[in-house]
Amino acid sequence: MGRFNIASIRGVKAPSKSPSVPWSSSQPSHKILYVCTGNIARSASAEVISTHKAHGSGWTFESAGIGAVVGGPVAPFIDEELSARRLNFAPHRGRQITSSMVKEADLILVMELHHLDWIVREWPQYRSKVHLLKQMARLRAQAGRRSDPISYMNLTEDRPTKADNIADPFRKGKKAAKIAVQEVEEALEIIIPWLGNVAGVNNS
């Protein structure tokens, strides 16, 4: 279980605390693009959680889908999970991934292997910056305290595995939604403090 407060879907007030990240006020802007299928569950959750936890960091976070429910709100049960964490997801609407999104992102973090394969088929020139969310969290331990996450992930030869997948919870009920948001959240708990290293911040 991560350090985040994992609340049950109903009836529990669980204000979450951001990880202790000593962001630099002079830190340049960088962007992460989260990608799943419909952009109303996993990648939407990653964008909402990251925007909250890394507020004021100089990083921006976007999300999209390879087969997006364009204009759709956050999926049922996913909305309840985010609401339990007191996160503002109301403005979110599903978006289809575009070439400009891919080009502008410093890192593209996807939820399953087939998302990576799809993006690489469409834009092979950007292969080095496409990785699985849980893969990046897994690699953090071996990257070293001062490793720049953008450079490290762009240069890694690590191959993602099936264990790095986060299963699609869409239309699979409350339990699947809870598991998916928790897996996204726990990966981000590891990744978000690492992002400070782009500015030379000493994070453990």
Side-chain angles (χ1 to χ4, degrees), residues 4-173:
F4 290 163
N5 292 319
I6 309 299
S8 61
I9 291 176
R10 299 180 187 277
V12 178
K13 293 183 178 180
S16 55
K17 295 182 179 179
S18 300
S20 179
V21 182
W23 301 108
S24 168
S25 60
S26 61
Q27 188 169 330
S29 179
H30 297 283
K31 182 181 290 184
I32 288 180
L33 175 65
Y34 299 111
V35 179
C36 66
T37 303
N39 189 218
I40 58 173
R42 294 165 291 177
S43 62
S45 297
E47 179 185 1
V48 169
I49 293 169
S50 297
T51 299
H52 175 72
K53 298 296 179 184
H55 176 71
S57 66
W59 281 81
T60 58
F61 305 94
E62 295 184 344
S63 64
I66 64 171
V69 182
V70 176
V74 171
F77 302 123
I78 298 292
D79 57 0
E80 294 182 6
E81 284 293 319
L82 296 175
S83 181
R85 291 161 171 78
R86 297 184 179 179
L87 300 176
N88 180 20
F89 58 87
H92 179 81
R93 293 295 181 268
R95 301 192 305 165
Q96 179 67 25
I97 191 171
T98 65
S99 59
S100 61
M101 291 180 191
V102 172
K103 181 179 180 180
E104 292 169 6
D106 294 288
L107 289 172
I108 301 168
L109 299 179
V110 306
M111 304 297 144
E112 294 185 77
L113 285 164
H114 75 89
H115 300 137
L116 183 152
D117 292 340
W118 190 96
I119 294 170
V120 171
R121 283 196 302 271
E122 294 293 315
W123 300 285
Q125 68 272 35
Y126 297 118
R127 170 64 185 90
S128 64
K129 60 182 178 181
V130 187
H131 310 280
L132 272 68
L133 178 71
K134 286 178 68 174
Q135 177 192 16
M136 184 172 177
R138 172 171 56 80
L139 290 176
R140 175 64 185 109
Q142 67 189 53
R145 294 187 65 186
R146 296 181 181 276
S147 295
D148 173 345
I150 296 175
S151 298
Y152 189 88
M153 295 306 298
N154 284 346
L155 293 172
T156 185
E157 296 182 358
D158 179 82
R159 296 178 64 86
T161 68
K162 290 183 179 179
D164 292 322
N165 288 333
I166 297 176
D168 190 353
F170 186 56
R171 294 181 176 172
K172 294 179 181 176

